[in-house]
Amino acid sequence: MSSFSTSRTGAYRYRWVILALCGLAVIVVNGATLIFSGMAGFLLTPVSAGGEYGFTAQQFMMLNSCPYLAGFLGCLAMGVLADRKGIKQTMLIGLSLSLIGSVIRVFTSDFTGILVTSTIYGFGLAALNANAAKIMRLWFPRNMVNVAMGVYLACATVGAAVFIPLASSFTSAQPMFVIVAVLSAITLVAWAAFYRKHPDNELRVVEPVAKQ
């Protein structure tokens, strides 16, 4: 058995790695769900006026809301899955779905394709929404949970502050889609490599999502 799994000191130090993983995930996933806000200029430009997409206002609103809709509808399912299979496996499933959606989206240019792949991307957000508070309560003592959640939420703001201006700096959606896919892959690899089960997991039971 590793020293990490038997050492309270190791767990104390490793909680900051866990917080960094959560921060990375929310920066990328939350930020990437907001990119369409920065793309309004060229997504809504009519084809007759030289635009590449010519989406209607209704289509634009659907693109903005579909990842969050998936994040909301999939939240309960991801929470229940975490109760049964564990946090790491659930997060990897959610982040994998986001990666799959983002990679396929790179090769789409029509509204339906972008809508469907962006909806799939939202399941990474669902995994985060369902498990972020649980992770903080598991890894941090009660008097530090608020601090950890504050850092996590600040990272969500950082994601919005970075991704929206970046998306608006292009004249086509494809370069931003590529960036999101690359960052989603990095996030998935980081979680697969560095997330660890808490050594006192059996003693720090968090109320199951289904019961809540």
Side-chain angles (χ1 to χ4, degrees):
M1 184 176 294
S2 67
S3 59
F4 167 76
S5 62
T6 58
S7 171
R8 294 290 183 88
T9 302
Y12 176 82
R13 293 173 180 172
Y14 208 78
R15 69 183 52 162
W16 304 110
V17 176
I18 300 299
L19 182 58
L21 288 174
C22 291
L24 172 64
V26 78
I27 287 173
V28 173
V29 177
N30 186 68
T33 61
L34 296 168
I35 57 175
F36 295 111
S37 298
M39 297 179 178
F42 56 81
L43 288 181
L44 293 171
T45 302
V47 176
S48 59
E52 182 180 355
Y53 304 95
F55 293 155
T56 66
Q58 183 179 12
Q59 289 174 325
F60 177 72
M61 292 301 296
M62 291 176 67
L63 289 177
N64 274 292
S65 61
C66 66
Y68 283 103
L69 180 61
F72 172 74
L73 295 179
C75 186
L76 179 60
M78 288 294 180
V80 172
L81 185 62
D83 293 336
R84 296 179 178 180
K85 300 294 184 180
I87 292 173
K88 180 174 183 178
Q89 185 171 343
T90 302
M91 286 299 303
L92 292 182
I93 291 172
L95 294 175
S96 295
L97 288 172
S98 287
L99 177 59
I100 291 169
S102 65
V103 170
I104 298 175
R105 187 168 60 179
V106 172
F107 304 98
T108 63
S109 57
D110 62 294
F111 170 73
T112 301
I114 295 176
L115 179 68
V116 171
T117 53
S118 297
T119 301
I120 294 172
Y121 192 89
F123 282 96
L125 187 62
L128 274 173
N129 289 342
N131 294 293
K134 183 183 297 184
I135 292 171
M136 301 308 168
R137 289 174 60 190
L138 181 65
W139 279 92
F140 287 86
R142 184 172 300 177
N143 64 334
M144 289 201 60
V145 170
N146 289 341
V147 174
M149 284 301 299
V151 173
Y152 174 79
L153 294 175
C155 288
T157 303
V158 169
V162 171
F163 277 74
I164 294 176
L166 183 60
S168 67
S169 68
F170 299 109
T171 57
S172 172
Q174 299 305 312
M176 194 65 210
F177 288 165
V178 171
I179 291 172
V180 169
V182 171
L183 292 177
S184 297
I186 292 173
T187 303
L188 176 61
V189 170
W191 271 80
F194 297 110
Y195 189 85
R196 298 289 185 270
K197 183 178 179 181
H198 193 282
D200 293 335
N201 188 50
E202 297 81 3
L203 303 179
R204 304 188 62 184
V205 178
V206 179
E207 186 177 16
V209 171
K211 183 177 180 181
Q212 294 178 19

